[in-house]
Amino acid sequence: MTDEIDGAEPVERSPNARRNALLVLLVLVVVAGLAWAMTRGGGSAQGPGGPGGGRGGGRGRIAATVGVAKVTATDVPQSLSQIGTVQPIVTATVRPQLSGNVFTINFREGQVVTKGQLLAQIDPRPYRLALAQAEANLTRDESQLNLARVDLRRYQVLLSQDSIARQQVDTQAATVKQQEGIVAADRAAVGTAKLNLHYTSITAPVAGRIGLRQADIGNYVSPGDTNGIAVITQTDPIDVSFAVPQGSLPGILARRATGAALSATASDQSGQTVIAHGSFLTFDNQIDTATGTVKAKARFPNPRGTLFPNQFVNVTLLVDTLKNAPTVPVTAVRHGTQGDFVFVLQGDHTVKMQPVKQGPSTGTNVAILSGLTPGQTVITEGADNLEDGSKVVLPGERPQFQRPKKGGFFSWLFGGSGGGGEEGHRRGGQNGGDNAAGASGPGNDAATNGSGQGGQRGSHRHRQGGNGSQ
């Protein structure tokens, strides 16, 4: 193939030179096409919120998927929860009233006993002998008293007959009084001996559960023993002592002034299992200045012994109930430098930051004293990256991403969507015609070959254009 230049000799161009020129041209076209594709179709995907989605509303942010809940009107109990200690109404240490050896033990450890039940027996024999001696002394002194009274009556008869001096009569009367005193003392001694004999039988002073025994058979016990025989605690009913902050006193006092009973609930240490139900009993008469609290008691029926003395429990005191208060899940309330707030869902799937004032909580839900009304929708999950006006996606919805325009560089390179085949065919045919027109020598063969090659290249570009449209 030769190129003719006006006024110059034809220059022969080698096939390698043409191939190198085509490669350079192809590289330049590819680079230019990539640059065009990046500037036109390289935008970031956006969610359904568009440029406003995400935390800052910037371009390329995807709207956050959030959980929502309705604001409901619910009766919320206003309660006070504190840690309390179970205290028996009566704790009695059973001690002997006199000294002696333990003769018998008549109870089982941990047994529930009744008032007056026999628990132990001290050796009664010495005290029986003491009673017998006291009774003997009483009999002797009573006989002497009777004799003195007979002598007094006789002296009084003789005095009336003026046969005896009055001094003798008065002396006998004094003797009678003296014997009467001795007899009275003897009777008291008999009573004391009987009481001591009764004290040899140790009985339960109150009804309740008895603890571990502190003495065994044969031990010598006395009233001065610190541990005694055993300890009895009255467990039904039973009290729970707890501390009330002084800030809660006005509400409790106002409630009690209406005559209403404040119900109390005792639960285990985890707070999951309710053990007993009772009612508030009383306050102490002064506030502890060291802690700013006042001691209080609640009383609980305990027929099954579920509350154990000195057990730690969680006490919940129901002070009042808020009627039809706006209530949201606890996870919906967030905390900022300016106070508590929630994100309220708007109709256009944006959120609004709403300041609120919290009320009493039930553990999973919290009452809102101001800032919300029933029926509104608040964000409960996924609110960490939200701001006022942020776009959100609700559960079950699918984010809509912005896709690049179809075609891009390859469609442009091969003729665009739908037109790539025709453009390739046109260019191929044109190249074939040019080759045919530029042939010399055996012109018919050159034209035929040039046309055939141009047709093949045009068909090849037609296929490439069709693929680009697909």
Side-chain angles (χ1 to χ4, degrees):
M1 182 176 187
T2 61
D3 292 338
E4 295 181 359
I5 303 177
D6 294 340
E9 291 293 329
V11 179
E12 185 74 14
R13 180 173 297 178
S14 66
N16 291 333
R18 290 198 304 271
R19 187 180 302 109
N20 292 337
L22 290 176
L23 289 176
V24 171
L25 179 63
L26 180 61
V27 170
L28 293 177
V29 170
V30 169
V31 172
L34 289 175
W36 175 86
M38 291 176 64
T39 57
R40 185 177 180 183
S44 300
Q46 297 178 353
R55 177 176 174 84
R59 183 174 181 179
R61 296 279 185 175
I62 300 177
T65 301
V66 297
V68 296
K70 287 287 186 181
V71 181
T72 59
T74 311
D75 293 343
V76 180
Q78 186 176 0
S79 58
L80 173 69
S81 297
Q82 293 291 332
I83 297 177
T85 305
V86 180
Q87 293 182 346
I89 298 177
V90 177
T91 300
T93 300
V94 181
R95 294 186 177 92
Q97 299 294 318
L98 44 83
S99 300
N101 293 321
V102 177
F103 205 60
T104 60
I105 296 292
N106 302 91
F107 67 89
R108 298 188 309 274
E109 294 175 324
Q111 177 184 354
V112 176
V113 298
T114 58
K115 184 177 180 179
Q117 181 176 337
L118 180 64
L119 302 179
Q121 181 79 37
I122 293 177
D123 188 1
R125 292 173 295 182
Y127 299 96
R128 289 174 181 170
L129 294 176
L131 175 59
Q133 184 178 1
E135 290 175 343
N137 292 335
L138 175 60
T139 303
R140 181 196 62 195
D141 294 335
E142 283 179 343
S143 63
Q144 292 179 359
L145 174 60
N146 292 332
L147 179 59
R149 286 174 178 174
V150 171
D151 290 341
L152 178 60
R153 287 194 297 268
R154 185 182 301 116
Y155 291 160
Q156 289 174 348
V157 173
L158 293 174
L159 180 60
S160 63
Q161 298 174 356
D162 199 18
S163 300
I164 192 174
R166 179 173 294 276
Q167 181 180 2
Q168 190 174 357
V169 176
D170 293 340
T171 301
Q172 188 62 32
T175 301
V176 171
K177 292 293 185 181
Q178 183 179 4
Q179 291 297 325
E180 287 178 352
I182 294 174
V183 170
D186 291 340
R187 288 174 179 170
V190 171
T192 301
K194 289 181 178 179
L195 184 59
N196 288 337
L197 183 61
H198 175 74
Y199 282 158
T200 59
S201 298
I202 303 175
T203 58
V206 293
R209 185 180 298 278
I210 195 167
L212 304 179
R213 69 172 183 262
Q214 304 297 324
D216 293 325
I217 297 175
N219 292 156
Y220 184 84
V221 295
S222 64
D225 292 342
T226 303
N227 296 329
I229 301 296
V231 177
I232 300 176
T233 56
Q234 184 176 344
T235 58
D236 185 24
I238 200 167
D239 293 341
V240 175
S241 176
F242 58 97
V244 176
Q246 60 182 1
S248 302
L249 283 178
I252 298 177
L253 293 175
R255 182 69 173 171
R256 292 194 68 190
T258 61
L262 278 66
S263 62
T265 303
S267 55
D268 59 3
Q269 286 184 323
S270 64
Q272 303 297 323
T273 304
V274 175
I275 301 176
H277 298 275
S279 59
F280 180 78
L281 185 61
T282 186
F283 284 116
D284 199 357
N285 56 1
Q286 58 185 351
I287 295 176
D288 187 353
T289 57
T291 61
T293 59
V294 59
K295 292 182 180 179
K297 279 187 178 182
R299 182 156 293 179
F300 295 86
N302 194 33
R304 297 183 179 179
T306 53
L307 292 176
F308 209 79
N310 293 337
Q311 177 185 3
F312 288 104
V313 295
N314 289 303
V315 181
T316 302
L317 184 65
L318 180 60
V319 180
D320 203 352
T321 301
L322 297 179
K323 301 292 185 181
N324 297 324
T327 307
V328 298
V330 174
T331 55
V333 181
R334 312 191 71 78
H335 312 285
T337 57
Q338 298 180 353
D340 301 331
F341 65 93
V342 298
F343 286 111
V344 180
L345 182 66
Q346 306 297 307
D348 58 352
H349 282 202
T350 61
V351 295
K352 177 183 178 183
M353 184 184 297
Q354 178 64 46
V356 296
K357 182 179 179 181
Q358 290 192 71
S361 173
T362 60
T364 57
N365 296 328
V366 60
I368 303 299
L369 301 181
S370 62
L372 292 177
T373 57
Q376 291 181 298
T377 303
V378 295
I379 307 301
T380 59
E381 297 178 2
D384 292 339
N385 296 324
L386 296 183
E387 290 182 350
D388 196 13
S390 297
K391 280 278 189 178
V392 295
V393 177
L394 300 183
E397 295 182 348
R398 200 175 196 183
Q400 299 295 327
F401 296 98
Q402 181 180 0
R403 297 181 179 180
K405 294 183 179 180
K406 292 183 178 181
F409 161 70
F410 294 104
S411 297
W412 168 80
L413 181 62
F414 297 113
S417 176
E422 295 177 358
E423 181 67 17
H425 181 72
R426 184 183 65 80
R427 290 180 181 177
Q430 183 178 0
N431 291 335
D434 293 340
N435 291 332
S440 62
N444 294 334
D445 295 337
T448 303
N449 294 334
S451 177
Q453 293 175 359
Q456 290 177 358
R457 286 194 295 268
S459 176
H460 176 66
R461 292 192 178 185
H462 175 76
R463 287 194 300 270
Q464 288 182 338
N467 294 334
S469 65
Q470 293 175 359

